[in-house]
Each structure stands twice: as structure tokens, then as C-alpha cells.
Amino acid sequence: MIVGIRKLPSILGAAPLQSHRRLPTKLRMGQHNAEHNASKSNHQSRVDKFSKVIRDDHTGGWETCWEQGLTPWDLGQPTPVISHLCAMGDLPNGRALVPGCGSLSSSSPKIRYFSFLKEDFFSWRPKELFDLIFDYTFFSAIEPAMRVAWGQQMQMLLKPNGELITLMFPIDNHIGGPPYKVSVSDYEDVLLPLGFKAVLIKDNEHAIPPRKGREMIGRWKRSLAHASL
């Protein structure tokens, strides 16, 4: 931006210095807003198409979306907030689970650390519990009536004092889904009675542009007093 300000006088000539400072800001804000709105519109269009497929085919809709590449939740890269937490060393060590995960490149140098399973999340009983579970909008993808069962299974799968990270999206007032609208209280209503404690709830500053302002991150600890498996 400093470069833009320094170059501008040669174009505007005798324009006041105050105008020199304001114009680049306005130009860049306008360009940024246009790009942001276009990105948000394109993302929303894909979400609408995805939602229609799921509504029209309750049994095979999800499979159809994968076959058609209609996966607006799949960024094709690590979720920015998780990359940030990894870089900061701010995640627990041990076994991690990502229910309803997206794709992962087989060329990744760390692919040997991952296993992909096709299971019914709500009835799955692994031999070992997990230190960390990352819910990447899985909560908002399921029918709202299933959220209590979601919480019970999270409690079942986590080790005592294990951590659950939730990306809470979309926080808005739209009707229908998936994704279904969520709020912080929706998570609290499910998790707090099961002994989870909210360690951190805040806006996700690392959200991708189409989700800015509509996504929060929650970090929850499972109570030591609740038994599993």
C-alpha cells in the first residue's frame, strides 16, 4: 500500500496530498470487496446445489455429491485454523479423529499417519479412544434431531480429558440444510450436560473468506468423571 501511495502523485499531478492517501485505500477496499463478494457468491451457489442434491436424495445424495465433485466443504487443502494450531504446537499429541472428513492427497509425505474408515459414526466402536476429535462442520451436516446422539458419541470416543475442537458454521438465520444453521448455544445444549467444558469459544480469524463472520471455533474438554467404552 505504501508503494501505491508513492506512485499515485505522478498520476494525479497536483491533487491534494489528502486525496493521495485516501484513493489507494478506496481502490483497494473496492477491489477487495468485489473479490470477496464474488468468492462468497460462488461458494454459496455450490452450497445451494449441494443442499438440493441431498434434499432430493436422502439415501444416496452424499455419494452423488462426491461423485460429481460437489463438495463445497472440501477445501482441497488443510483447514487454515488447524494448520495454524499445528504450527503453534497448540494441539494435543496422540490419536486424532476427523468424523466426516474431506479428501486427503495420497502424495502427502505424512499419509502413513492416516487411516480412512467407512463406518457409521453413531454406532462405531473403535478399540482405542482418541486424544483429539476435530469436528469440521460435521455437526451442521447432520439432521438437528441427531445432535444429541452426536454429543453422546463424541463423549464415547474421547479419552478422559481429551479435547474436542468444533468449527461452528454457519452461524446465521438461513432455513433448511444441510448445512443447517448453528449457534454457540446449540453446541452448549448438547455438550455441557455430558460433562464437556468450554475452554475457548471465539470467532475463527482463520476462516476462509466466504465464511468470515459466520464461523467460530470452540475448544472443549471432556470431563474425567465420565467413563467410555
Side-chain angles (χ1 to χ4, degrees):
M1 185 171 176
I2 294 176
V3 174
I5 292 174
R6 288 180 177 175
K7 287 184 176 180
L8 197 57
S10 63
I11 300 174
L12 298 181
L17 182 60
Q18 186 176 15
S19 297
H20 298 173
R21 295 181 182 276
R22 287 181 177 177
L23 187 56
T25 303
K26 292 180 180 179
L27 287 174
R28 282 163 175 73
M29 286 182 64
Q31 180 180 5
H32 172 75
N33 289 338
E35 292 173 351
H36 173 76
N37 291 336
S39 175
K40 185 175 181 179
S41 176
N42 179 59
H43 179 76
Q44 188 57 49
S45 175
R46 297 185 69 222
V47 170
D48 292 341
K49 291 178 181 177
F50 150 74
S51 298
K52 184 178 186 305
V53 172
I54 299 299
R55 288 196 304 269
D56 293 346
D57 185 356
H58 293 286
T59 57
W62 287 97
E63 195 70 26
T64 299
C65 287
W66 277 108
E67 292 172 353
Q68 296 181 359
L70 194 56
T71 54
W73 66 87
D74 191 353
L75 304 183
Q77 62 183 14
T79 306
V81 68
I82 290 297
S83 295
H84 171 74
L85 293 174
C86 284
M88 298 295 293
D90 197 19
L91 292 174
N93 293 322
R95 286 165 50 83
L97 172 68
V98 184
C101 68
S103 59
L104 181 66
S105 173
S106 59
S107 62
S108 169
K110 298 184 179 180
I111 190 66
R112 65 183 183 278
Y113 297 112
F114 296 88
S115 297
F116 290 87
L117 301 174
K118 186 177 180 180
E119 299 282 353
D120 179 352
F121 170 77
F122 295 96
S123 61
W124 182 48
R125 295 294 183 267
K127 295 180 179 180
E128 295 182 66
L129 298 179
F130 294 91
D131 301 277
L132 170 68
I133 299 180
F134 175 47
D135 184 289
Y136 175 62
T137 67
F138 182 51
F139 182 89
S140 62
I142 61 176
E143 295 282 343
M146 301 176 69
R147 289 175 176 176
V148 171
W150 169 93
Q152 292 170 341
Q153 184 68 348
M154 290 297 183
Q155 180 199 38
M156 181 78 68
L157 294 172
L158 269 178
K159 290 181 180 179
N161 206 37
E163 181 174 356
L164 168 65
I165 296 181
T166 56
L167 275 193
M168 298 179 277
F169 171 86
I171 299 178
D172 55 27
N173 293 314
H174 80 274
I175 297 175
Y180 297 93
K181 66 180 181 179
V182 299
S183 65
V184 173
S185 62
D186 289 335
Y187 289 83
E188 291 176 332
D189 290 345
V190 170
L191 294 173
L192 296 184
L194 293 172
F196 282 87
K197 177 182 179 181
V199 178
L200 173 72
I201 296 178
K202 69 172 185 176
D203 287 333
N204 180 17
E205 59 188 25
H206 299 283
I208 61 174
R211 298 180 181 177
K212 288 283 188 181
R214 297 192 298 153
E215 183 174 273
M216 300 183 73
I217 182 171
R219 303 188 69 165
W220 315 78
K221 279 285 190 177
R222 179 180 173 274
S223 171
L224 290 168
H226 288 73
S228 297
L229 286 190

